[in-house]
Amino acid sequence: MKVNEYYRASSLEDAYRKLQEDPKNVILAGGLWIKKIGQSVNALIDLSTLGLNKISENEKEVVVGSLVTQREFENSKVINSLYGGAIAFATREVMGVNFRNIATIGGSIMGRYPFSDVISGLLPYDVELEFYPNQVMSLEDYLGYKGKLNSILVAIHIKKEKGNGFFKKVKTTALDFPIINFGVSKVNGKYTVVVGNRPAGSIRATKAMEYINNVANPSELDYKKAAEIAASELAFMDNKDASAEYRKELTKVYVKRGLMEVNK
Ligand SMILES: Cc1cc2nc3c(=O)[nH]c(=O)nc-3n(C[C@H](O)[C@H](O)[C@H](O)COP(=O)(O)OP(=O)(O)OC[C@H]3O[C@@H](n4cnc5c(N)ncnc54)[C@H](O)[C@@H]3O)c2cc1C
């Protein structure tokens, strides 16, 4: 990996100006993915003195600064209090503690990694991304956004609502990338189903959601049917870790299980 310049930004405005100067200037968070892919960088822009490493809350939402580490996030009382702890649990599934002490929530979202446990853990909920300069976008819209957003992620806003959540990462060994992952929620009586690393990225299974959300008092058979719909509406592919067929079968099992779990 080659880096020409390390630049410590003095403000968000300063960081943004530097980011626009050269297409090879990049924001530095934990630096783990930047290092892994070994991209050639002109300037690494460090945001570490800008106070983006805090978690706060108000009546309506929890606000997580983009430089909050995965470890701080998963251990936060307020994050654990949301949706039965499902969001915190999803982040706890990434690599080991040493790794999560460095990797950040902002870096996990901005990379839009198709395998992301962090994203599959957040997508079942109402989550908005706050960017500099002045832009707010839902996590779902950001995942669907075509092209590169050359802005700075300042914070993520997680809406506080009544509900329950489920997260499952299927992996071969403890420290692996997922073969596939699942996030399911029931918030204000409405179900959301997310499947990630199919191996394409995390996505809501909208037809399955529409089905189950229109059944009054769903039974186990209805959950099974919703899981089958999810398995048939989403695209799955083969890669070195698993076949499309296997991923489809896992979807039938874990979406059903998730829907049942969030009712407990
Ligand atoms: C070996 C390895 C294994 C992994 N396994 C898993 C796994 O099993 N599950 C999983 O979910 N994740 C996994 N990850 C991803 C990891 O969890 C992090 O998401 C990833 O390392 C990025 O976080 P970071 O803080 O290191 O970001 P960085 O590497 O610093 O940045 C990542 C990207 O985001 C951009 N960026 C960062 N912060 C901002 C910001 N505030 N504004 C704008 N752009 C920004 C950077 O410019 C860069 O392009 C793995 C990563 C590695 C290296």
Side-chain angles (χ1 to χ4, degrees):
M1 180 179 178
K2 189 168 173 282
V3 178
N4 290 333
E5 183 190 356
Y6 165 80
Y7 186 82
R8 180 165 284 179
S10 57
S11 64
L12 281 169
E13 192 184 352
D14 181 37
Y16 182 70
R17 183 195 49 76
K18 187 74 182 172
L19 185 61
Q20 308 309 312
E21 259 177 20
D22 185 320
K24 284 193 160 185
N25 288 358
V26 299
I27 300 291
L28 172 68
L32 295 170
W33 193 258
I34 293 176
K35 186 153 188 273
K36 180 173 169 57
I37 60 172
Q39 78 192 87
S40 161
V41 169
N42 181 44
L44 276 178
I45 306 166
D46 179 353
L47 309 178
S48 64
T49 58
L50 308 185
L52 303 178
N53 58 345
K54 296 183 181 66
I55 301 179
S56 61
E57 65 177 319
N58 58 42
E59 255 174 46
K60 290 186 178 154
E61 59 180 17
V62 178
V63 183
V64 181
S66 65
L67 283 193
V68 167
T69 65
Q70 292 178 350
R71 186 69 177 153
E72 287 161 342
F73 186 77
E74 80 190 41
N75 281 339
S76 151
K77 265 196 185 148
V78 53
I79 300 297
N80 276 281
S81 72
L82 296 173
Y83 310 112
I87 298 178
F89 177 74
T91 300
R92 211 168 282 133
E93 288 286 286
V94 177
M95 294 288 283
V97 169
N98 293 350
F99 181 96
R100 300 197 301 277
N101 271 329
I102 299 171
T104 63
I105 293 300
S108 302
I109 288 172
M110 288 309 285
R112 290 193 279 196
Y113 314 108
F115 54 79
S116 177
D117 300 309
V118 178
I119 291 175
S120 284
L122 285 167
L123 191 57
Y125 309 94
D126 188 341
V127 174
E128 288 195 322
L129 310 181
E130 175 192 341
F131 292 96
Y132 183 93
N134 220 352
Q135 188 178 9
V136 175
M137 198 187 265
S138 72
L139 174 60
E140 191 178 21
D141 286 349
Y142 176 62
L143 295 176
Y145 184 83
K146 303 274 179 255
K148 187 174 186 283
L149 197 69
N150 216 21
S151 307
I152 298 171
L153 180 65
V154 177
I156 71 168
H157 295 242
I158 309 172
K159 202 159 186 189
K160 282 185 185 170
E161 290 176 291
K162 275 213 159 49
N164 207 358
F166 166 90
F167 178 81
K168 175 70 187 177
K169 170 179 188 170
V170 180
K171 53 190 172 182
T172 310
T173 65
L175 301 184
D176 262 338
F177 285 98
I179 288 174
I180 191 166
N181 53 32
F182 303 93
V184 179
S185 68
K186 187 179 181 190
V187 176
N188 297 328
K190 289 268 177 223
Y191 297 93
T192 300
V193 174
V194 168
V195 185
N197 206 29
R198 302 164 285 119
S202 313
I203 192 166
R204 290 183 174 175
T206 51
K207 289 184 181 158
M209 286 160 54
E210 193 184 338
Y211 171 79
I212 200 69
N213 282 322
N214 282 306
V215 180
N217 304 317
S219 66
E220 191 173 338
L221 269 182
D222 296 313
Y223 296 133
K224 183 167 181 274
K225 170 93 174 139
E228 285 166 358
I229 294 172
S232 64
E233 74 173 289
L234 300 177
F236 298 90
M237 283 169 282
D238 299 339
N239 69 0
K240 66 175 178 39
D241 297 323
S243 66
E245 218 35 54
Y246 183 51
R247 289 188 161 99
K248 231 176 207 219
E249 289 308 310
L250 290 171
T251 299
K252 290 180 196 165
V253 172
Y254 285 110
V255 169
K256 178 185 169 203
R257 194 171 296 176
L259 289 167
M260 293 181 71
E261 284 287 323
V262 295
N263 269 300
K264 284 184 180 165

